[in-house]
Amino acid sequence: MKNFLAIYLGTPDSMKKWENLSETEQQQRMKEGMAAWTGWMEQHKDILVVEGGPLGKTKRIDDDGIVDTRNDMTGYVIVKAESHEAAAKLFEGHPSFSIFPGDGVEVMECMPIPTL
């Protein structure tokens, strides 16, 4: 089995749609989403490598120094799967975008560090 990093994505536009919901609807979707997410985590507990969680604000560090920046990453989890395709299928209909104001999930293999 290989490890795969799944990044939950959400754009400002998807957040605007969430903010346009009534307070009651937001609370209901939050309750529904947390129940669905908890269920997903429980269903896949045997393949969870890192439970992950939400991501906060971003800073970029390069030769020019440190600056505030933004990207579409909202959370992450690391799972074990037999293949890239199998890992991707785990996230079909995931609550991070089907209930919460996310846009999708990107899944990539965690590659081993090359040896000399």
Side-chain angles (χ1 to χ4, degrees), residues 94-113:
H94 193 275
S96 66
F97 62 86
S98 65
I99 300 170
F100 289 121
D103 293 310
V105 179
E106 291 184 2
V107 176
M108 62 216 75
E109 185 177 347
C110 300
M111 305 294 288
I113 297 172

Side-chain angles (χ1 to χ4, degrees), residues 64-106:
D64 294 328
I66 301 171
V67 296
D68 291 335
T69 189
R70 85 161 308 286
N71 57 51
D72 293 339
M73 293 184 270
T74 62
Y76 74 102
V77 65
I78 299 176
V79 298
K80 291 187 283 188
E82 291 293 334
S83 68
H84 200 173
E85 185 69 23
K89 286 185 179 295
L90 294 169
F91 295 91
E92 290 181 320
H94 193 275
S96 66
F97 62 86
S98 65
I99 300 170
F100 289 121
D103 293 310
V105 179
E106 291 184 2

Side-chain angles (χ1 to χ4, degrees), residues 13-106:
D13 284 344
S14 59
M15 195 61 194
K16 284 179 192 173
K17 290 176 189 175
W18 177 268
E19 291 167 352
N20 287 334
L21 298 173
S22 69
E23 184 68 28
T24 302
E25 194 169 5
Q26 283 182 15
Q27 289 175 1
Q28 178 58 35
R29 293 209 31 207
M30 181 63 75
K31 184 177 176 180
E32 180 186 346
M34 287 307 297
W37 178 81
T38 301
W40 189 93
M41 294 293 279
E42 179 63 27
Q43 179 184 358
H44 297 95
K45 67 183 176 187
D46 294 342
I47 60 164
L48 290 176
V49 176
V50 177
E51 289 185 9
L55 296 172
K57 294 185 179 190
T58 305
K59 293 199 179 286
R60 178 181 171 88
I61 302 93
D62 60 23
D63 288 340
D64 294 328
I66 301 171
V67 296
D68 291 335
T69 189
R70 85 161 308 286
N71 57 51
D72 293 339
M73 293 184 270
T74 62
Y76 74 102
V77 65
I78 299 176
V79 298
K80 291 187 283 188
E82 291 293 334
S83 68
H84 200 173
E85 185 69 23
K89 286 185 179 295
L90 294 169
F91 295 91
E92 290 181 320
H94 193 275
S96 66
F97 62 86
S98 65
I99 300 170
F100 289 121
D103 293 310
V105 179
E106 291 184 2

